[in-house]
Amino acid sequence: MTSHPSHPSTPCPAAPPPSGAGGARAALLILADGRFPAGGHAHSGGAEEAIASGRLRDTDDLAEFCRGRLHTAGLTAAGLAAAAADGWDLRELDEAADARTPSPALRAVARRLGRQLIRAARTVWPDPRLDALAAAAPRGAHQPVVLGLTARVAGLGPGDAAYCAGYETVGAPVSAAVRLLGLDPFAATAVLARLAPDLDRVAARATAAVREGGGPAALPAASAPLLDITAEQHAARPLRLFAS
């Protein structure tokens, strides 16, 4: 009787490496993790004010709120983060972020979060480029700009940075809504899962803008005036659970 080998003699082709320079996809998981100590847990992404005004009451409202936020503020943040991850001039990107953030309250929040993120990033991924940005912007650079540079330092690419920025845009409101409304966390997480195709489209648009070049002026600049208005209202509230 002829025996047959249990494995084929021709070796199987190797699996394609994960995206991100140096196969650093695991760094994306760390950076996007809500437990990463960058201060994001203290912010609701506008959800607290939307709840207070009665515009966000249940998971259906949450889904629409997050979708709108993702395609406006999320797209803008994703473009800035992708450009920073691609090595664009950080000072110019920070100025572009200022120009895309008409609300003084949101500008202050973005810089505060940027300062917290760079502090965490310098500990997790020590790098002279992070040190230089911290020295150049002691009040904090805009969070998406810092996020993009952090992704670059961690060995990730522009697409990874865009995904991370987009995910943060909707992750914060979902987490806040669970706490503020007592939503079923399973149902709230399902809202995030159903937004996956939208997140794909936002990340693709952001990275395409970076790939096409044209400088910061050519990056996405989607606006959400109601988010700007309610951010100012929220900042004036004497009692609130979240910082924004």
Side-chain angles (χ1 to χ4, degrees), residues 193-230:
R194 287 192 290 270
L195 285 171
D198 292 86
L199 183 54
D200 286 341
R201 287 191 287 270
V202 164
R205 286 186 62 187
T207 52
V210 170
R211 189 165 54 248
E212 291 166 6
L219 293 175
S223 63
L226 186 57
L227 286 177
D228 296 324
I229 293 168
T230 56

mmCIF file of all heavy atoms in Angstrom, residues 193-230:
data_model
loop_
_atom_site.group_PDB
_atom_site.id
_atom_site.type_symbol
_atom_site.label_atom_id
_atom_site.label_comp_id
_atom_site.label_asym_id
_atom_site.label_seq_id
_atom_site.Cartn_x
_atom_site.Cartn_y
_atom_site.Cartn_z
ATOM 1 N N ALA A 193 -20.922 48.702 14.961
ATOM 2 C CA ALA A 193 -20.677 47.668 13.956
ATOM 3 C C ALA A 193 -21.366 48.009 12.635
ATOM 4 O O ALA A 193 -20.805 47.796 11.554
ATOM 5 C CB ALA A 193 -21.148 46.311 14.471
ATOM 6 N N ARG A 194 -22.578 48.541 12.711
ATOM 7 C CA ARG A 194 -23.310 48.869 11.487
ATOM 8 C C ARG A 194 -22.731 50.089 10.774
ATOM 9 O O ARG A 194 -23.026 50.328 9.604
ATOM 10 C CB ARG A 194 -24.791 49.084 11.805
ATOM 11 C CG ARG A 194 -25.540 47.787 12.127
ATOM 12 C CD ARG A 194 -27.040 48.003 12.138
ATOM 13 N NE ARG A 194 -27.461 48.802 13.280
ATOM 14 C CZ ARG A 194 -27.814 48.293 14.462
ATOM 15 N NH1 ARG A 194 -27.777 46.977 14.661
ATOM 16 N NH2 ARG A 194 -28.205 49.081 15.442
ATOM 17 N N LEU A 195 -21.899 50.841 11.472
ATOM 18 C CA LEU A 195 -21.246 51.990 10.847
ATOM 19 C C LEU A 195 -19.965 51.604 10.108
ATOM 20 O O LEU A 195 -19.324 52.467 9.513
ATOM 21 C CB LEU A 195 -20.903 53.045 11.915
ATOM 22 C CG LEU A 195 -22.074 53.873 12.444
ATOM 23 C CD1 LEU A 195 -21.616 54.706 13.643
ATOM 24 C CD2 LEU A 195 -22.640 54.774 11.358
ATOM 25 N N ALA A 196 -19.604 50.331 10.127
ATOM 26 C CA ALA A 196 -18.355 49.900 9.495
ATOM 27 C C ALA A 196 -18.254 50.316 8.025
ATOM 28 O O ALA A 196 -17.213 50.824 7.602
ATOM 29 C CB ALA A 196 -18.186 48.388 9.647
ATOM 30 N N PRO A 197 -19.294 50.129 7.198
ATOM 31 C CA PRO A 197 -19.171 50.568 5.797
ATOM 32 C C PRO A 197 -18.944 52.075 5.664
ATOM 33 O O PRO A 197 -18.206 52.523 4.789
ATOM 34 C CB PRO A 197 -20.507 50.140 5.170
ATOM 35 C CG PRO A 197 -21.015 49.045 6.050
ATOM 36 C CD PRO A 197 -20.577 49.422 7.425
ATOM 37 N N ASP A 198 -19.588 52.843 6.536
ATOM 38 C CA ASP A 198 -19.379 54.290 6.512
ATOM 39 C C ASP A 198 -17.944 54.636 6.896
ATOM 40 O O ASP A 198 -17.325 55.537 6.307
ATOM 41 C CB ASP A 198 -20.354 54.983 7.468
ATOM 42 C CG ASP A 198 -21.785 54.896 7.004
ATOM 43 O OD1 ASP A 198 -22.461 53.896 7.311
ATOM 44 O OD2 ASP A 198 -22.247 55.835 6.334
ATOM 45 N N LEU A 199 -17.419 53.933 7.887
ATOM 46 C CA LEU A 199 -16.044 54.163 8.301
ATOM 47 C C LEU A 199 -15.071 53.817 7.177
ATOM 48 O O LEU A 199 -14.086 54.525 6.944
ATOM 49 C CB LEU A 199 -15.727 53.342 9.554
ATOM 50 C CG LEU A 199 -14.330 53.514 10.165
ATOM 51 C CD1 LEU A 199 -14.026 54.974 10.446
ATOM 52 C CD2 LEU A 199 -14.223 52.683 11.438
ATOM 53 N N ASP A 200 -15.367 52.749 6.448
ATOM 54 C CA ASP A 200 -14.548 52.392 5.287
ATOM 55 C C ASP A 200 -14.520 53.534 4.268
ATOM 56 O O ASP A 200 -13.471 53.893 3.736
ATOM 57 C CB ASP A 200 -15.089 51.131 4.614
ATOM 58 C CG ASP A 200 -14.798 49.861 5.394
ATOM 59 O OD1 ASP A 200 -13.892 49.882 6.244
ATOM 60 O OD2 ASP A 200 -15.486 48.855 5.143
ATOM 61 N N ARG A 201 -15.700 54.095 3.992
ATOM 62 C CA ARG A 201 -15.777 55.162 2.992
ATOM 63 C C ARG A 201 -15.052 56.418 3.457
ATOM 64 O O ARG A 201 -14.359 57.079 2.670
ATOM 65 C CB ARG A 201 -17.244 55.471 2.683
ATOM 66 C CG ARG A 201 -17.937 54.394 1.853
ATOM 67 C CD ARG A 201 -19.287 54.847 1.348
ATOM 68 N NE ARG A 201 -20.276 54.889 2.431
ATOM 69 C CZ ARG A 201 -21.051 53.860 2.761
ATOM 70 N NH1 ARG A 201 -20.923 52.698 2.132
ATOM 71 N NH2 ARG A 201 -21.941 53.974 3.726
ATOM 72 N N VAL A 202 -15.199 56.753 4.719
ATOM 73 C CA VAL A 202 -14.526 57.947 5.253
ATOM 74 C C VAL A 202 -13.012 57.777 5.198
ATOM 75 O O VAL A 202 -12.281 58.681 4.767
ATOM 76 C CB VAL A 202 -15.003 58.226 6.692
ATOM 77 C CG1 VAL A 202 -14.068 59.187 7.412
ATOM 78 C CG2 VAL A 202 -16.422 58.793 6.666
ATOM 79 N N ALA A 203 -12.520 56.623 5.620
ATOM 80 C CA ALA A 203 -11.072 56.385 5.579
ATOM 81 C C ALA A 203 -10.557 56.406 4.150
ATOM 82 O O ALA A 203 -9.466 56.937 3.878
ATOM 83 C CB ALA A 203 -10.747 55.046 6.250
ATOM 84 N N ALA A 204 -11.323 55.853 3.226
ATOM 85 C CA ALA A 204 -10.902 55.841 1.819
ATOM 86 C C ALA A 204 -10.844 57.254 1.254
ATOM 87 O O ALA A 204 -9.902 57.610 0.525
ATOM 88 C CB ALA A 204 -11.860 54.977 0.997
ATOM 89 N N ARG A 205 -11.842 58.083 1.558
ATOM 90 C CA ARG A 205 -11.834 59.467 1.069
ATOM 91 C C ARG A 205 -10.659 60.242 1.650
ATOM 92 O O ARG A 205 -10.019 61.037 0.947
ATOM 93 C CB ARG A 205 -13.149 60.164 1.436
ATOM 94 C CG ARG A 205 -14.350 59.746 0.620
ATOM 95 C CD ARG A 205 -15.557 60.587 0.971
ATOM 96 N NE ARG A 205 -15.339 62.008 0.671
ATOM 97 C CZ ARG A 205 -16.193 62.965 1.017
ATOM 98 N NH1 ARG A 205 -17.310 62.651 1.667
ATOM 99 N NH2 ARG A 205 -15.934 64.224 0.717
ATOM 100 N N ALA A 206 -10.383 60.043 2.920
ATOM 101 C CA ALA A 206 -9.294 60.767 3.575
ATOM 102 C C ALA A 206 -7.947 60.382 2.973
ATOM 103 O O ALA A 206 -7.119 61.255 2.662
ATOM 104 C CB ALA A 206 -9.304 60.490 5.074
ATOM 105 N N THR A 207 -7.710 59.097 2.796
ATOM 106 C CA THR A 207 -6.425 58.655 2.259
ATOM 107 C C THR A 207 -6.287 59.014 0.784
ATOM 108 O O THR A 207 -5.183 59.303 0.317
ATOM 109 C CB THR A 207 -6.236 57.146 2.460
ATOM 110 O OG1 THR A 207 -7.380 56.442 1.954
ATOM 111 C CG2 THR A 207 -6.083 56.797 3.927
ATOM 112 N N ALA A 208 -7.391 59.030 0.053
ATOM 113 C CA ALA A 208 -7.329 59.436 -1.350
ATOM 114 C C ALA A 208 -6.918 60.896 -1.470
ATOM 115 O O ALA A 208 -6.127 61.268 -2.350
ATOM 116 C CB ALA A 208 -8.682 59.221 -2.022
ATOM 117 N N ALA A 209 -7.424 61.738 -0.579
ATOM 118 C CA ALA A 209 -7.050 63.151 -0.597
ATOM 119 C C ALA A 209 -5.568 63.337 -0.316
ATOM 120 O O ALA A 209 -4.904 64.180 -0.922
ATOM 121 C CB ALA A 209 -7.883 63.923 0.420
ATOM 122 N N VAL A 210 -5.033 62.535 0.582
ATOM 123 C CA VAL A 210 -3.596 62.608 0.888
ATOM 124 C C VAL A 210 -2.788 62.106 -0.292
ATOM 125 O O VAL A 210 -1.770 62.705 -0.673
ATOM 126 C CB VAL A 210 -3.288 61.791 2.163
ATOM 127 C CG1 VAL A 210 -1.781 61.651 2.363
ATOM 128 C CG2 VAL A 210 -3.929 62.451 3.377
ATOM 129 N N ARG A 211 -3.230 61.032 -0.892
ATOM 130 C CA ARG A 211 -2.511 60.446 -2.018
ATOM 131 C C ARG A 211 -2.474 61.395 -3.218
ATOM 132 O O ARG A 211 -1.482 61.459 -3.944
ATOM 133 C CB ARG A 211 -3.167 59.127 -2.401
ATOM 134 C CG ARG A 211 -2.400 58.286 -3.417
ATOM 135 C CD ARG A 211 -2.924 56.874 -3.461
ATOM 136 N NE ARG A 211 -4.355 56.811 -3.683
ATOM 137 C CZ ARG A 211 -5.241 56.391 -2.782
ATOM 138 N NH1 ARG A 211 -4.837 55.996 -1.592
ATOM 139 N NH2 ARG A 211 -6.536 56.351 -3.063
ATOM 140 N N GLU A 212 -3.539 62.145 -3.395
ATOM 141 C CA GLU A 212 -3.598 63.069 -4.528
ATOM 142 C C GLU A 212 -2.769 64.327 -4.309
ATOM 143 O O GLU A 212 -2.474 65.055 -5.255
ATOM 144 C CB GLU A 212 -5.059 63.446 -4.791
ATOM 145 C CG GLU A 212 -5.887 62.272 -5.326
ATOM 146 C CD GLU A 212 -7.382 62.536 -5.257
ATOM 147 O OE1 GLU A 212 -7.760 63.678 -4.893
ATOM 148 O OE2 GLU A 212 -8.158 61.609 -5.543
ATOM 149 N N GLY A 213 -2.380 64.588 -3.065
ATOM 150 C CA GLY A 213 -1.561 65.765 -2.782
ATOM 151 C C GLY A 213 -2.373 67.044 -2.850
ATOM 152 O O GLY A 213 -3.584 67.048 -2.690
ATOM 153 N N GLY A 214 -1.667 68.155 -3.080
ATOM 154 C CA GLY A 214 -2.366 69.433 -3.139
ATOM 155 C C GLY A 214 -2.238 70.258 -1.891
ATOM 156 O O GLY A 214 -2.745 71.379 -1.829
ATOM 157 N N GLY A 215 -1.599 69.707 -0.854
ATOM 158 C CA GLY A 215 -1.390 70.466 0.373
ATOM 159 C C GLY A 215 -2.605 70.454 1.281
ATOM 160 O O GLY A 215 -3.670 69.941 0.933
ATOM 161 N N PRO A 216 -2.470 71.053 2.481
ATOM 162 C CA PRO A 216 -3.556 71.034 3.461
ATOM 163 C C PRO A 216 -4.878 71.597 2.951
ATOM 164 O O PRO A 216 -5.943 71.154 3.361
ATOM 165 C CB PRO A 216 -2.995 71.883 4.608
ATOM 166 C CG PRO A 216 -1.513 71.730 4.504
ATOM 167 C CD PRO A 216 -1.243 71.657 3.025
ATOM 168 N N ALA A 217 -4.819 72.578 2.050
ATOM 169 C CA ALA A 217 -6.055 73.177 1.543
ATOM 170 C C ALA A 217 -6.905 72.172 0.791
ATOM 171 O O ALA A 217 -8.132 72.353 0.664
ATOM 172 C CB ALA A 217 -5.730 74.367 0.644
ATOM 173 N N ALA A 218 -6.294 71.101 0.261
ATOM 174 C CA ALA A 218 -7.028 70.106 -0.504
ATOM 175 C C ALA A 218 -7.599 68.982 0.364
ATOM 176 O O ALA A 218 -8.312 68.118 -0.141
ATOM 177 C CB ALA A 218 -6.121 69.502 -1.579
ATOM 178 N N LEU A 219 -7.301 69.001 1.645
ATOM 179 C CA LEU A 219 -7.827 67.966 2.534
ATOM 180 C C LEU A 219 -9.304 68.211 2.821
ATOM 181 O O LEU A 219 -9.797 69.326 2.692
ATOM 182 C CB LEU A 219 -7.042 67.966 3.853
ATOM 183 C CG LEU A 219 -5.574 67.547 3.770
ATOM 184 C CD1 LEU A 219 -4.904 67.707 5.131
ATOM 185 C CD2 LEU A 219 -5.439 66.107 3.277
ATOM 186 N N PRO A 220 -10.046 67.171 3.227
ATOM 187 C CA PRO A 220 -11.470 67.342 3.516
ATOM 188 C C PRO A 220 -11.714 68.430 4.554
ATOM 189 O O PRO A 220 -10.947 68.575 5.514
ATOM 190 C CB PRO A 220 -11.892 65.970 4.042
ATOM 191 C CG PRO A 220 -10.914 65.020 3.447
ATOM 192 C CD PRO A 220 -9.617 65.765 3.381
ATOM 193 N N ALA A 221 -12.774 69.176 4.360
ATOM 194 C CA ALA A 221 -13.136 70.247 5.294
ATOM 195 C C ALA A 221 -14.647 70.229 5.508
ATOM 196 O O ALA A 221 -15.312 71.259 5.420
ATOM 197 C CB ALA A 221 -12.667 71.593 4.774
ATOM 198 N N ALA A 222 -15.188 69.048 5.767
ATOM 199 C CA ALA A 222 -16.631 68.916 5.992
ATOM 200 C C ALA A 222 -17.010 69.617 7.296
ATOM 201 O O ALA A 222 -16.283 69.542 8.284
ATOM 202 C CB ALA A 222 -17.011 67.436 6.054
ATOM 203 N N SER A 223 -18.145 70.297 7.285
ATOM 204 C CA SER A 223 -18.549 71.070 8.461
ATOM 205 C C SER A 223 -19.810 70.501 9.087
ATOM 206 O O SER A 223 -20.627 69.859 8.421
ATOM 207 C CB SER A 223 -18.774 72.535 8.081
ATOM 208 O OG SER A 223 -19.831 72.659 7.149
ATOM 209 N N ALA A 224 -19.957 70.775 10.382
ATOM 210 C CA ALA A 224 -21.150 70.377 11.131
ATOM 211 C C ALA A 224 -21.509 71.543 12.050
ATOM 212 O O ALA A 224 -21.161 71.543 13.233
ATOM 213 C CB ALA A 224 -20.894 69.104 11.929
ATOM 214 N N PRO A 225 -22.178 72.572 11.520
ATOM 215 C CA PRO A 225 -22.439 73.776 12.312
ATOM 216 C C PRO A 225 -23.153 73.515 13.631
ATOM 217 O O PRO A 225 -22.865 74.182 14.637
ATOM 218 C CB PRO A 225 -23.296 74.628 11.366
ATOM 219 C CG PRO A 225 -22.912 74.172 9.998
ATOM 220 C CD PRO A 225 -22.643 72.708 10.129
ATOM 221 N N LEU A 226 -24.080 72.555 13.646
ATOM 222 C CA LEU A 226 -24.800 72.292 14.888
ATOM 223 C C LEU A 226 -23.863 71.765 15.974
ATOM 224 O O LEU A 226 -24.002 72.113 17.151
ATOM 225 C CB LEU A 226 -25.937 71.297 14.640
ATOM 226 C CG LEU A 226 -26.866 71.044 15.842
ATOM 227 C CD1 LEU A 226 -27.491 72.342 16.331
ATOM 228 C CD2 LEU A 226 -27.953 70.042 15.469
ATOM 229 N N LEU A 227 -22.878 70.951 15.582
ATOM 230 C CA LEU A 227 -21.905 70.478 16.560
ATOM 231 C C LEU A 227 -21.080 71.638 17.112
ATOM 232 O O LEU A 227 -20.740 71.658 18.293
ATOM 233 C CB LEU A 227 -20.982 69.435 15.933
ATOM 234 C CG LEU A 227 -21.561 68.049 15.670
ATOM 235 C CD1 LEU A 227 -20.516 67.162 14.985
ATOM 236 C CD2 LEU A 227 -22.029 67.400 16.966
ATOM 237 N N ASP A 228 -20.752 72.606 16.263
ATOM 238 C CA ASP A 228 -20.011 73.782 16.727
ATOM 239 C C ASP A 228 -20.845 74.605 17.708
ATOM 240 O O ASP A 228 -20.354 75.040 18.755
ATOM 241 C CB ASP A 228 -19.612 74.661 15.535
ATOM 242 C CG ASP A 228 -18.651 73.968 14.592
ATOM 243 O OD1 ASP A 228 -17.789 73.212 15.082
ATOM 244 O OD2 ASP A 228 -18.756 74.175 13.372
ATOM 245 N N ILE A 229 -22.108 74.814 17.373
ATOM 246 C CA ILE A 229 -22.988 75.605 18.233
ATOM 247 C C ILE A 229 -23.198 74.923 19.580
ATOM 248 O O ILE A 229 -23.084 75.548 20.647
ATOM 249 C CB ILE A 229 -24.345 75.848 17.533
ATOM 250 C CG1 ILE A 229 -24.152 76.745 16.308
ATOM 251 C CG2 ILE A 229 -25.358 76.458 18.492
ATOM 252 C CD1 ILE A 229 -25.363 76.816 15.394
ATOM 253 N N THR A 230 -23.507 73.632 19.540
ATOM 254 C CA THR A 230 -23.782 72.930 20.801
ATOM 255 C C THR A 230 -22.516 72.749 21.642
ATOM 256 O O THR A 230 -22.608 72.643 22.864
ATOM 257 C CB THR A 230 -24.432 71.569 20.532
ATOM 258 O OG1 THR A 230 -23.585 70.795 19.661
ATOM 259 C CG2 THR A 230 -25.794 71.735 19.885
#
